[in-house]
């Protein structure tokens, strides 16, 4: 057992309101620079939709991630042989148009234009060429299902959904969507690290944060291809690749990453997971249907004496072990088995987990006869002429699971490698918590019914209360359990602290000037 | 004439080599952030293929060809002793030269006709394009007009280059060579001098070590286990820090 610790995340999709505050917080801190304008280390996409960059999930196009062929696991579009022979020209590199051409507006024209017949306008100009452009694409161009024929209907997750099932999803009355916020997953088997010919990318041992050393990156641009989540970005100005750094300077100071700290929906949880690094190799070689469970099995119980001993032997600090015991991520992923990794089939072992959304997915739509009600209405008033009932009642509980507004297959393609049972299991749990809490707070559900529902979902009343607390009430310190980073020890081991007093911890001291 | 020869065939090589050595080491050690291939594929991903691929494979072969002739002149002469083999070598090299020239011209045209690339193009790019195109052109010119270069390189130029490296420069033979060859020699040292001052520095950091390193890399800020063993002095476990 090789115990390591990882700062890991859970995003609760039911709570995301799609406000993009997280993206903006991140942009303002990290990517508001030339060459990085188009980068959204944190982005929020509407699902169904094609996402950012367009259709990133379609690995037939982007060739990201690992693939298993004849028992061997290899990088799909990079690796030693491909990386070194395609180094002069990378046939699988996305280009700026797959994201969007960054732009601004000539705002000054509004103020400085001379008096004239017509109102001045602020024309959009490209941030690359400085020339006026027609904006064809932007961040979240397809927000809230806008332009759905071009975007929503091209979602790669619709694969192996029948035409009828797809049609149902896009019927106006049945239309539903949810948001998918994404950051780098700080994977355990990161494709970006493996693909970098210079060895500029590495995973930090202490907290698992995956970083690109800007001094060593040589723009061989293989990580951009290799990351199946397209979370490694090429800075076209500096000639260096960049990615989410999980706000490590903030983490080291005990602060939550900016996206998480600012999250309006409070959907984000961050905490330590202890895992067994010896199992990485075995796990990534498993078949698709075993992958997700094995991934969860790598996570170790931080209360287990044996694990604690092994963790200490490996130099994991007591404070980190302590944090692991209070980790909200551990609860969601391992204890309650409520959260799933995104596209685990890419085999990077992502360490960001998602609680699948229940609403608006679960509400059912029934055809009812509204004619009687319509007659009662004032004829001058617009009257109710359709016969649909949007139904979120919990009576027909498990029955309604199969009639959800979203085919379960769709979510399964995204979060459980096509296994619908896994999604069903999570939905049952989420629903059971609601019914249980309704019994506690409103009291119109009988004890027997609530108990039977909990039993069916495999939860105890205590667990249901725990899920409820962490989902609905959790305070800042419950959502973010961040252990001290013990940077002081690292510094002591490098230099005498006296020598570096006042100068460590400030990172790069030279200017990030583009080479010639 | 002597003064010119002395300058271009003796002084320039030493200046170039000094600039190359000091400049590259300095830039690599102190300006790591500025060592990059500065790929522009992200802004223009189609035409690059027709520039980069023929150019780099051409450069790759010719660079090692010249290096080989410099290091093992006798093997080249032995190989060339059979005319057919000489022809094979000369024709292959010529084809790679053409490939390099075509690649360079495609690069050049692409860079100056794509609006998006203007913001990632600097004056030095123009300089190295001109120098490289000139150099390749003269290389082909010499190969065509003064046959067979692979043989006389080994008998004429290799001794001259050795004399430079032995710090006993002897230009008596090369001074008599045609002006086209002299331009090629001057061009070569100009390129060497420009390496640390241009994007050409990227070929010095060719990631060969990727071949034998493990795919995954985990770095620890401190010795993973030694941190818990209070009796080991910290100086024994200097971590690989970033
Ligand atoms: C084996 C070593 C080499 C490697 C791995 C290499 C790799 C690269 C890469 C990745 C690019 C960027 C292409 C892009 O825009 O995406 C590039 C561009 C370039 N390389 Fe190399 N290169 C090597 C050797 C050389 C040599 C020896 C020279 C010149 C003597 C050279 C001259 C150039 C030039 C001029 C460009 C710029 C092309 C442009 O975008 O206009 N390279 N190289
Ligand atoms: S999500 Fe992509 S960039 Fe992040 S660690 Fe995984 S492979 Fe690397
Ligand atoms: S800030 Fe939170 S709620 Fe808002 S979009 Fe981001 S993840 Fe969703």
């Amino acid at each position: 057992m090789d115990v390591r610790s990882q700062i890991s995340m859970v995003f609760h999709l039911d709570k995301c309101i799609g406000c993009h505050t997280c993206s903006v917080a991140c942009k303002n801190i990290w990517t508001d620079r030339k060459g990085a304008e188009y980068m959204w280390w944190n982005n929020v996409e509407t699902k169904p939709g094609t996402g950012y960059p367009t259709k990133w999930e379609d690995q037939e196009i982007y060739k990201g991630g690992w693939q298993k062929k004849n028992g061997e696991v290899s990088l799909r579009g990079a690796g030693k042989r491909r990386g070194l022979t395609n180094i002069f020209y990378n046939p699988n590199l996305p280009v700026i148009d797959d994201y969007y051409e960054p732009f601004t507006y000539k705002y000054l024209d509004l103020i400085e234009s001379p008096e004239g017949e017509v109102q001045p306008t602020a024309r959009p100009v490209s941030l690359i060429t400085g020339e006026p452009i027609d904006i064809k694409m932007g961040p979240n161009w397809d927000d809230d299902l806008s332009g759905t024929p071009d975007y929503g209907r091209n979602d790669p997750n619709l694969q192996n959904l029948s035409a009828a099932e797809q049609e149902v999803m896009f019927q106006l009355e049945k239309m539903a969507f949810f948001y998918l916020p994404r950051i780098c997953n700080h994977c355990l088997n990161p494709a970006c690290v493996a693909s970098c010919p210079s060895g500029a990318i590495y995973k930090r041992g202490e907290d698992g944060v995956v970083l690109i050393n800007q001094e060593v990156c040589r723009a061989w641009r293989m990580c951009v291809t290799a990351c199946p989540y397209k979370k490694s970005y090429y800075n076209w100005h500096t000639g260096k690749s960049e990615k989410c750094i999980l706000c490590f300077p903030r983490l080291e100071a005990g602060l939550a990453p900016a996206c998480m700290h600012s999250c309006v929906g409070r959907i984000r949880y961050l905490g330590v997971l202890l895992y067994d690094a010896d199992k990485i190799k075995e796990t990534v070689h498993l078949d698709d249907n075993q992958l997700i469970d094995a991934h969860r099995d790598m996570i170790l119980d931080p209360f287990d004496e044996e694990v604690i001993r092994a963790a200490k032997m490996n130099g994991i600090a007591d404070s980190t072990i302590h944090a692991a015991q209070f980790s909200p991520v551990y609860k969601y992923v391992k204890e309650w088995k409520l959260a799933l990794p995104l596209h685990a089939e890419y085999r990077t072992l992502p360490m960001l987990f998602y609680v699948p959304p229940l609403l608006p997915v679960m509400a059912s739509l029934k055809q009812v006869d509204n004619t009687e009600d319509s007659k009662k209405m004032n004829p001058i008033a617009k009257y109710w002429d359709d016969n649909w009932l949007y139904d979120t009642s919990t009576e027909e509980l498990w029955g309604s699971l199969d009639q959800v507004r979203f085919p379960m297959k769709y979510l399964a393609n995204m979060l459980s490698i096509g296994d619908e049972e896994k999604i069903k299991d999570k939905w049952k749990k989420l629903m059971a918590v609601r019914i249980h809490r309704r019994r506690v707070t409103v009291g119109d559900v009988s004890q027997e019914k609530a108990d039977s529902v909990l039993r069916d979902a495999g939860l105890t009343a205590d667990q249901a209360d725990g899920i409820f607390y962490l989902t609905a009430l959790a305070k800042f310190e419950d959502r973010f359990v961040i252990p001290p980073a013990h940077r002081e020890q690292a510094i002591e081991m490098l230099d005498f602290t006296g020598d570096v007093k006042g100068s460590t911890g400030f990172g790069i001291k030279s200017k990030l000037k583009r080479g010639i | 004439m002597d003064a010119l020869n002395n300058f271009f065939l003796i002084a320039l090589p030493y200046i170039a080599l000094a600039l190359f050595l000091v400049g590259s080491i300095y830039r690599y050690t102190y300006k790591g952030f500025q060592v990059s291939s500065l790929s522009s594929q992200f802004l223009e991903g189609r035409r690059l293929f027709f520039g980069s691929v023929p150019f780099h494979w051409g450069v790759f072969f010719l660079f090692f060809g010249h290096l080989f002739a410099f290091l093992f002149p006798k093997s080249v002469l032995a190989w060339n002793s059979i005319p057919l083999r000489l022809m094979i070598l000369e024709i292959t090299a010529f084809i790679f030269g053409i490939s390099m020239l075509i690649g360079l011209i495609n690069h050049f045209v692409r860079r100056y006709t794509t609006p998006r690339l203007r913001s990632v193009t600097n004056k030095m790019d123009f300089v190295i394009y001109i120098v490289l195109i000139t150099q390749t052109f003269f290389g082909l010119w010499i190969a065509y007009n003064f046959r067979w270069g692979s043989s006389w390189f080994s008998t004429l130029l290799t001794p001259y280059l050795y004399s430079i490296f032995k710090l006993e420069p002897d230009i008596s033979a090369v001074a008599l060579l045609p002006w086209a060859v002299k331009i090629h020699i001057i061009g070569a040292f100009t390129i060497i001098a420009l390496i640390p001052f241009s994007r050409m520095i990227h070929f010095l950091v060719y990631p060969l070590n990727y071949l034998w390193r493990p795919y995954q890399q985990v770095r620890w800020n401190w010795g993973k286990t030694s941190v818990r063993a209070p009796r080991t002095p910290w100086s024994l476990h200097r971590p690989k820090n970033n």
Side-chain angles (χ1 to χ4, degrees), chain A residues 15-22 44 181 262-268:
Chain A
K15 303 199 334 161
C16 179
I17 55 173
C19 63
H20 303 282
T21 308
C22 45
V44 184
S262 63
C263 177
V264 175
R266 303 185 178 182
I267 80 155
R268 300 183 175 215

Side-chain angles (χ1 to χ4, degrees), chain A residues 30 33-34 214-215 235 237-240 242 507-515, chain B residues 32-34:
Chain A
W30 301 119
R33 290 167 285 127
K34 188 170 180 190
Q214 293 288 299
E215 302 259 314
N235 183 318
H237 174 67
T238 57
K240 302 274 164 172
E242 300 179 6
I508 297 169
K509 277 172 251 147
S510 64
K511 257 202 189 151
L512 298 185
K513 198 164 151 275
R514 177 185 159 91
Chain B
F33 188 72
Q34 293 188 19

Side-chain angles (χ1 to χ4, degrees), chain A residues 24-37:
Chain A
V24 173
C26 175
K27 167 125 308 239
N28 282 339
I29 299 187
W30 301 119
T31 58
D32 195 8
R33 290 167 285 127
K34 188 170 180 190
E37 316 91 339

